[in-house]
């Protein structure tokens, strides 16, 4: 992984962040109000629409594994534009969606052909997102030289900046674009995100000559498989008596250890057999399928150690997924009027999540970190594992609160005789939903950014795009788990006293609060599991890398010349 020496650092940040704004405006504007589009325009049942949204989120978050492998964000933008353009066309051509609903008529659900076009457009957008998501975060952090102490401090601030500007983009999507979708039309509402993606492409290209690029050093997946194969082939070889006898080769590892070489650890020692040198091996020109360096073995160990922490984030995403599905359906049934003639679009309620997240990020960076630093002595105030834990606790509290608010909404519907009238407004203010949205924003500011810091810092440097893909994979797993939970609860709660917790057509007759509390219970168990994982977690052991060693040698030579 050689470095192409360019400006990097703060000079390239405006281009990267402007590019991020355009990309997020496009993708979030495309998906924020999707639940409303599916229920109001395609007339899908609530649970089917909710599962379509979470399945799209899960697929879009899974494709970064492919994007990390290809590491080509420009190609990702092409597929994203293609998918959004196709969906925009469906809003303009009447035959590509069912006829509009008229009072007294039965709602006609989208037919198989119309749904096929919808799913193809969502799939194309998901594939495009996969080319962008894992690359842009690690690429932005790579603009700062880790071997420069001053720039290394800025690396961790970058994640706050990245998430802040992403939040601003989502805020605009949840207000301006959602308003256009609800009041101007879905053609413009989906056309604007397509134009935002074009803007992101332009900013990306303009800044390209200034970027600090790391050249690929081969597929990290191949290296991981080689370690496993080498260890398996030598499974019967005796362990070495001295760990210093394990195979190391600085020349072979030079391209994947610029920032630091991983040192041997005592865990998972069965993998060390891949680094045992036998008479059949040629240390000068080794076969990587038979002999691996310690650094490469430790790359695999590091990823394995990260897996339990990674898994803990899945349920947080499962809980957050309800903000874009059932919470929007709750908001649609409540009083959203600010004035007599203006009411807040239901999908725009997530503006409180984004506003809360932005305020929390600023508070964390400007107030919390300096104060915490005095007590902990850590440059970042608290560790990213602690930051994630705070986020998990806030997410748990948000889900508990959501259950109580739904209980209050149901009582208001019952008191006003609206249980069997799902399309009538319940006389209860939509601002009762604010606490759960705001707590979710606080949770995201702590857990999501903590996740990014954790993956970037602990992943081997040659696998940072892959580690960002693992972050998105946790989002994918959380989205699919949400779909599974909704499906199972919808199916099996139907036979419980004749009351389905998650009915298809009337949320007022359901028991959504029970579903929230079920998710909260699972989150509580997950929090206990996470605390246990952090107690036994071993941080990545690393020593000076190639660049730092060269600089130290240069400093010694300069000092001798000066003397």
């Amino acid at each position: 992984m050689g470095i192409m020496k360019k400006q990097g650092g703060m000079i390239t940040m405006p281009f990267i962040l402007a590019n991020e704004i355009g990309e997020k405006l496009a993708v979030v504007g495309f998906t924020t109000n999707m639940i409303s589009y599916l229920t109001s325009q395609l007339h899908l049942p609530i649970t089917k629409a909710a599962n379509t949204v979470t399945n799209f989120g899960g697929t879009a978050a899974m494709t970064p594994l492919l994007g990390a492998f290809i590491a080509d964000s420009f190609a990702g933008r092409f597929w994203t534009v293609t998918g959004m353009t196709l969906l925009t066309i469906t809003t303009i051509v009447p035959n590509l969606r069912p006829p509009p609903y008229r009072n007294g008529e039965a709602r006609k659900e989208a037919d198989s052909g119309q749904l096929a076009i919808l799913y193809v457009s969502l799939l194309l957008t998901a594939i495009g997102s996969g080319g962008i998501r894992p690359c842009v975060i690690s690429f932005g952090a790579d603009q700062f030289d880790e071997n420069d102490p001053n720039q290394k401090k800025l690396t961790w601030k970058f994640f706050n900046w990245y998430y802040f500007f992403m939040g601003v983009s989502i805020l605009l999507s949840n207000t301006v674009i959602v308003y256009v979708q609800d009041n101007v039309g879905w053609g413009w509402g989906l056309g604007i995100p397509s134009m935002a993606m074009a803007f992101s492409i332009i900013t990306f290209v303009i800044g390209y000559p200034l970027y600090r690029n790391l050249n690929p050093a081969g597929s990290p997946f191949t290296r991981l498989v080689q370690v496993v194969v080498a260890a398996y082939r030598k499974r019967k070889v005796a362990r070495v008596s001295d760990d210093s006898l394990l195979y190391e080769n600085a020349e072979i590892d030079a391209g994947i250890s610029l920032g630091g070489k991983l040192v041997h650890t005592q865990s998972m020692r069965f993998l060390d057999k891949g680094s045992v040198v036998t008479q059949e091996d040629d240390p000068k020109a080794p076969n990587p399928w038979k002999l691996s360096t310690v650094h490469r073995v430790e790359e695999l160990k590091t990823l394995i150690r990260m897996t339990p922490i990674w898994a803990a984030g899945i349920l947080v995403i499962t809980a957050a997924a309800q903000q874009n599905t059932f919470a929007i359906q709750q908001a649609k049934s409540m009083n959203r009027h600010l004035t007599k003639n203006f009411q807040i679009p239901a999908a725009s309620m997530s503006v409180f999540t984004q506003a809360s997240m932005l305020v929390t990020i600023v508070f964390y960076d400007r107030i919390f970190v300096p104060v915490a630093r005095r007590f902990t002595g850590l440059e970042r105030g608290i560790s990213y594992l602690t930051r994630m834990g705070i986020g998990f606790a806030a997410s748990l509290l948000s889900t508990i609160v959501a259950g109580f608010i739904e209980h209050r909404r149901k009582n208001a519907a019952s008191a006003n005789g609206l249980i069997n009238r799902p399309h009538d407004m319940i006389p209860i203010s939509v601002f009762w939903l604010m606490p759960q949205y705001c707590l979710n924003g606080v949770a995201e500011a702590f857990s999501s950014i903590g996740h990014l810091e954790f993956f970037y810092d602990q992943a081997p440097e040659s696998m940072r795009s892959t580690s960002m893909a693992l972050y998105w994979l946790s989002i994918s797993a959380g989205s699919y788990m949400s779909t599974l939970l909704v499906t199972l609860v919808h199916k099996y709660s139907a036979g419980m006293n004749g009351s389905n917790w998650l009915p298809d057509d009337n949320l007022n007759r359901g028991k959504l609060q029970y579903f929230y509390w079920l998710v909260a219970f699972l989150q509580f168990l997950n929090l206990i599991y996470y605390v246990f994982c952090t107690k036994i977690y071993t941080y990545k052991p690393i020593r000076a890398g190639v660049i730092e060693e060269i600089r130290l040698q240069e400093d010694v030579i300069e000092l001798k010349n000066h003397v």
Side-chain angles (χ1 to χ4, degrees), residues 288-474:
W289 296 96
K290 294 182 178 180
L291 181 63
S292 296
T293 63
V294 170
H295 179 85
R296 298 182 181 218
V297 171
E298 291 301 324
E299 282 186 328
L300 178 57
K301 287 185 182 181
T302 297
L303 289 181
I304 294 174
R305 283 194 294 263
M306 292 171 63
T307 301
I309 302 292
W310 167 83
I314 294 175
L315 263 175
V316 177
I317 304 302
T318 301
Q322 313 315 320
Q323 299 290 332
N324 294 322
T325 53
F326 293 114
I328 292 179
Q329 294 303 112
Q330 288 174 284
K332 288 179 69 174
S333 71
M334 302 168 78
N335 182 5
R336 294 177 280 117
H337 283 91
L338 290 181
T339 66
K340 184 178 180 180
N341 299 318
F342 177 78
Q343 63 177 357
I344 303 173
S348 289
M349 282 300 295
S350 56
V351 71
F352 295 108
T353 297
Q354 304 310 319
S356 174
M357 182 188 74
L358 294 177
V359 171
T360 303
I361 290 174
V362 174
F363 168 79
Y364 182 87
D365 190 67
R366 299 299 178 183
I367 299 176
F368 182 84
V369 170
V371 172
R373 187 183 296 139
R374 297 178 182 177
F375 295 94
T376 64
L378 297 175
E379 181 65 29
R380 282 173 278 179
I382 58 175
S383 69
Y384 32 71
L385 293 180
T386 302
R387 184 173 189 173
M388 289 165 59
I390 294 173
F392 289 1
S395 178
L396 168 61
L397 183 59
S398 173
T399 308
I400 293 173
V401 169
F404 283 107
I405 299 304
E406 170 60 11
H407 182 70
R408 186 179 183 88
R409 190 194 70 86
K410 284 277 303 294
N411 286 343
S414 178
N416 289 275
L418 299 175
I419 289 293
N420 295 313
R421 298 164 66 180
H423 302 297
D424 288 4
M425 183 189 72
I426 302 172
I428 179 175
S429 174
V430 74
F431 292 109
W432 276 100
L433 296 176
M434 273 185 59
Q436 69 192 62
Y437 277 106
C438 290
L439 283 169
N440 200 57
V442 173
E444 188 169 359
F446 276 90
S447 64
S448 294
I449 301 178
H451 255 95
L452 292 176
E453 290 181 348
F454 169 73
F455 283 124
Y456 188 83
D457 182 65
Q458 289 299 291
E461 67 177 75
S462 62
M463 299 184 182
R464 279 171 175 164
S465 287
T466 304
S467 69
M468 293 299 106
L470 291 175
Y471 166 74
W472 289 108
L473 186 60
S474 69

Side-chain angles (χ1 to χ4, degrees), residues 80 91 234:
T80 303
T91 68
K234 295 182 176 179

